[in-house]
């Protein structure tokens, strides 16, 4: 594959963000996901961003690194999608992370 094709593959379309998900001690390593930028404003994802800052700091290269297991990230993404489709008119809706989420720094 040429460098130009690789660059195209790694580019993310406007309005989306690449994230690298996984924990250092997981067997499956890290996985790359592309999520809508709107996730950055969701209270559940904001908590995850705070954890990312605690673990990795602000200055990292490449995709945004997210310190949780892939399974927990998939669950979090499902919750965000479910809430945005069912509760978009409830701006005062409470958002709680399940205690089973595996954050690196917890």
């Amino acid at each position: 594959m040429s460098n130009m094709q690789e660059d195209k593959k790694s580019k993310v379309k406007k309005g989306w963000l690449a994230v690298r998900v996984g924990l250092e001690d997981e067997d499956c390593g890290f996985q790359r996901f592309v999520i809508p930028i709107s996730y950055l404003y969701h209270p559940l994802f904001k908590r995850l961003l705070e954890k990312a800052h605690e673990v990795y700091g602000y200055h990292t290269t490449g995709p945004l690194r997210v310190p949780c297991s892939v399974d927990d990230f998939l669950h979090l993404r499902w919750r965000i999608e479910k809430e945005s489709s069912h509760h978009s008119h409830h701006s005062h809706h409470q958002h709680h992370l399940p205690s089973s989420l595996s954050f690196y720094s917890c």
Side-chain angles (χ1 to χ4, degrees):
M1 189 184 295
S2 75
N3 282 342
M4 195 158 186
Q5 286 174 318
E6 287 175 13
D7 286 346
K8 272 191 166 181
K9 183 180 177 185
S10 65
K11 286 194 179 189
V12 178
K13 59 185 172 175
K14 189 175 182 178
W16 294 77
L17 174 71
V19 295
R20 186 175 170 219
V21 178
L23 298 173
E24 301 287 338
D25 58 351
E26 279 186 326
D27 293 335
C28 61
F30 294 96
Q31 284 188 344
R32 183 178 184 263
F33 292 90
V34 178
I35 59 169
I37 286 179
S38 61
Y39 279 26
L40 297 175
Y41 303 102
H42 192 282
L44 293 175
F45 201 82
K46 281 184 178 182
R47 285 198 47 203
L48 193 54
L49 289 175
E50 290 169 8
K51 292 293 182 185
H53 169 64
E54 290 173 19
V55 175
Y56 305 120
Y58 284 124
H59 303 289
T60 61
T61 58
L64 174 67
R65 293 171 65 186
V66 179
C68 72
S69 71
V70 171
D71 287 342
D72 285 340
F73 181 78
L74 291 172
H75 178 76
L76 180 68
R77 187 175 70 173
W78 173 82
R79 293 240 346 243
I80 291 171
E81 289 297 320
K82 183 179 171 192
E83 287 180 11
S84 64
S85 64
H86 294 297
H87 299 291
S88 59
H89 58 282
H90 294 294
S91 60
H92 62 279
H93 186 70
Q94 292 282 329
H95 300 280
H96 298 286
L97 284 172
S99 60
S100 63
L101 281 182
S102 302
F103 290 119
Y104 181 81
S105 58
C106 288

